[in-house]
Amino acid sequence: MQKVWIYLENGTYLEAKSFGASGTSVGEIVFNTSLTGYQEIISDPSYAGQFVTFTMPEIGNVGVNADDMESSMAHCKGVLVRNYHHEHSNYRSEGDLDSFLKEHNVLGITSIDTRYLTKMLRDEGSMMMIASTEISSKEELAEKLAQSPRIEDINYIKEVSTKEAYVHKSGAWNHENKAYNKAVMSDKKIVVVDFGVKRNILNELVESGLEVEVIPSSFKAEDLISRFEAKEIGGIFLSNGPGDPLVLKEEKEQVKKLIDANIPMFGICLGHQMLSIAHGYDTYKLKFGQHGGNHPVANPETKVVEITAQNHNYNVPDNIIEIAEITHKNLFDNTIEGVKYKNKEIFSVQHHPEASPGPHESKYIFAEFAKIVK
């Protein structure tokens, strides 16, 4: 392993060891408390532009495989882990994490105190950082970081969204067959606006009995409204995605038109935030975000507490209750986790019901959407 040097915008300067790709990279550092699923996190498009600090100390021990990819590639800038295990042991493993990160040009940083970094981010908030296997000078790293754009100034959606429309053909993972279920014919068709959609979200939409067409984020509302009026589609799903949703000015205008057309809609994560913004309620940035697989979320209607997966730095404002009913609340910090808009067939959640940390108590949300699709 070669050396890697890290500089954070609060002035912290660290030296560690590297695995995966070499080079220099700038991004926002966050921490994730999930105990499993590092490959799903690394391949989640919502992490574009970010370094992920894993609080789980042992990473790499189960290797990687094609079935656990949430997209076609890795999207984060880098990962920071306490101990990296090159030797992996799992019956589904097809390779090691080091080679995987090299293939996808993602920096791996190890032999670093991730508890120290997590406490710092908890106390000071998420921040920008630079990591390099090429530059060791603290002053040079600081200068390069200062000259780089911040994550909130970059539209990563253009990078992660599909370039061409396609129909998604697989359903949920079948534990008995060790394969994804195949899509079945359905008379209920929806369109997914891809802001950086996770594959398992598409799988769960298919599993709920929907035909799922995925389209680029550069969509035109008029086209979708025409298809809805012609009864070609019965609803629209707005996906998760990376970055600050307030950057998406044109996308907001298109979503506003869909709202005005009274099309049934469902949003997750960034899609949830986009619906809020398009209704006139701008999102705000959390101190260090919510990233992990153990967040308790209360459903006031069912009185059930669901264990959820989270991955976001931004949240909808509390005054959204003026136009929406609160359907879910985070029990860690009491932030809004889900809403249903009044007098509309539009609802959304901040957490990720497809990630199955519970493992199954949140999947009813996909079935609810399937019920209202015309």
Side-chain angles (χ1 to χ4, degrees):
M1 290 184 180
Q2 60 183 324
K3 290 183 179 180
V4 59
W5 295 272
I6 302 105
Y7 180 82
L8 281 67
E9 67 175 310
N10 67 352
T12 301
Y13 173 66
L14 303 167
E15 179 183 305
K17 294 179 180 179
S18 80
F19 64 103
S22 301
T24 302
S25 193
V26 174
E28 181 182 49
I29 179 172
V30 298
F31 65 87
N32 188 298
T33 60
S34 296
L35 300 180
T36 61
Y38 59 77
Q39 184 184 345
E40 290 92 327
I41 291 165
I42 294 169
S43 59
D44 181 350
S46 293
Y47 281 105
Q50 292 180 320
F51 284 89
V52 182
T53 301
F54 287 100
T55 61
M56 177 64 181
E58 313 293 332
I59 298 293
N61 51 327
V62 296
V64 296
N65 66 76
D67 285 330
D68 287 347
M69 293 292 287
E70 286 289 2
S71 65
S72 61
M73 60 183 287
H75 292 278
C76 61
K77 292 285 189 175
V79 297
L80 298 94
V81 307
R82 181 66 187 95
N83 297 315
Y84 165 64
H85 291 268
H86 188 72
E87 299 299 325
H88 47 95
S89 177
N90 186 280
Y91 75 100
R92 297 175 63 237
S93 178
E94 299 169 353
D96 61 86
L97 181 58
D98 177 47
S99 301
F100 176 82
L101 294 184
K102 283 186 171 76
E103 178 187 352
H104 294 279
N105 196 32
V106 174
L107 285 171
I109 300 167
T110 186
S111 300
I112 193 168
D113 191 342
T114 50
R115 179 176 292 183
Y116 164 76
L117 287 172
T118 300
K119 287 181 177 179
M120 179 191 301
L121 297 174
R122 181 194 64 190
D123 295 340
E124 300 184 34
S126 53
M127 63 185 77
M128 296 296 292
M129 67 163 273
I130 182 171
S132 178
T133 60
E134 308 161 319
I135 304 169
S136 61
S137 165
K138 177 181 179 180
E139 291 72 24
E140 189 175 346
L141 289 170
E143 182 180 359
K144 194 170 184 65
L145 179 61
Q147 293 172 350
S148 301
R150 301 184 62 82
I151 190 170
E152 53 264 30
D153 299 325
I154 304 173
N155 184 350
Y156 281 105
I157 305 300
K158 295 177 181 178
E159 296 181 16
V160 302
S161 179
T162 183
K163 302 300 183 286
E164 301 289 339
Y166 65 94
V167 175
H168 188 71
K169 295 291 189 179
S170 66
W173 178 259
N174 188 312
H175 291 278
E176 293 183 3
N177 299 334
K178 299 297 185 287
Y180 290 98
N181 293 329
K182 288 184 169 55
V184 296
M185 292 294 292
S186 174
D187 59 354
K188 290 184 174 183
K189 182 172 183 177
I190 65 162
V191 164
V192 172
V193 178
D194 180 12
F195 295 123
V197 70
K198 292 171 65 180
R199 182 170 71 171
N200 269 318
I201 288 178
L202 301 178
N203 292 343
E204 292 297 339
L205 288 168
V206 167
E207 197 71 17
S208 69
L210 299 169
E211 181 182 344
V212 176
E213 179 186 344
V214 186
I215 65 170
S217 62
S218 56
F219 72 99
K220 295 300 179 188
E222 290 80 7
D223 296 337
L224 297 184
I225 293 169
S226 296
R227 295 178 68 183
F228 176 71
E229 291 175 344
K231 295 182 171 31
E232 182 186 339
I233 61 172
I236 295 170
F237 175 82
L238 303 181
S239 86
N240 61 293
D244 186 346
L246 292 176
V247 171
L248 308 177
K249 306 294 187 184
E250 176 56 30
E251 291 85 349
K252 178 187 80 170
E253 295 305 316
Q254 299 305 314
V255 173
K256 284 175 67 175
K257 294 177 183 178
L258 297 178
I259 292 170
D260 292 340
N262 291 317
I263 300 176
M265 281 195 285
F266 173 30
I268 286 179
C269 202
L270 185 134
H272 165 73
Q273 298 159 11
M274 286 298 298
L275 284 167
S276 175
I277 294 168
H279 275 94
Y281 291 77
D282 286 353
T283 52
Y284 65 95
K285 189 169 186 177
L286 298 167
K287 184 177 181 180
F288 48 80
Q290 296 170 335
H291 312 272
N294 63 339
H295 287 243
V297 167
N299 182 324
E301 182 178 347
T302 63
K303 310 300 182 186
V304 169
V305 175
E306 305 163 19
I307 303 302
T308 69
Q310 306 271 342
N311 173 26
H312 63 109
N313 273 355
Y314 300 89
N315 221 74
V316 303
D318 289 342
N319 66 339
I320 201 169
I321 61 171
E322 296 169 357
I323 60 166
E325 172 192 348
I326 307 304
T327 59
H328 299 82
K329 273 291 191 83
N330 190 304
L331 296 183
F332 278 162
D333 61 5
N334 209 37
T335 53
I336 295 172
E337 285 283 347
V339 298
K340 184 182 186 307
Y341 290 90
K342 297 174 182 177
N343 304 315
K344 294 174 182 173
E345 291 182 321
I346 300 175
F347 67 99
S348 60
V349 293
Q350 182 59 71
H351 54 278
H352 283 269
E354 84 291 340
S356 308
H360 303 302
E361 63 257 40
S362 293
K363 290 191 176 183
Y364 66 88
I365 296 172
F366 295 101
E368 287 184 357
F369 182 52
K371 283 180 184 177
I372 68 170
V373 172
K374 294 182 175 60

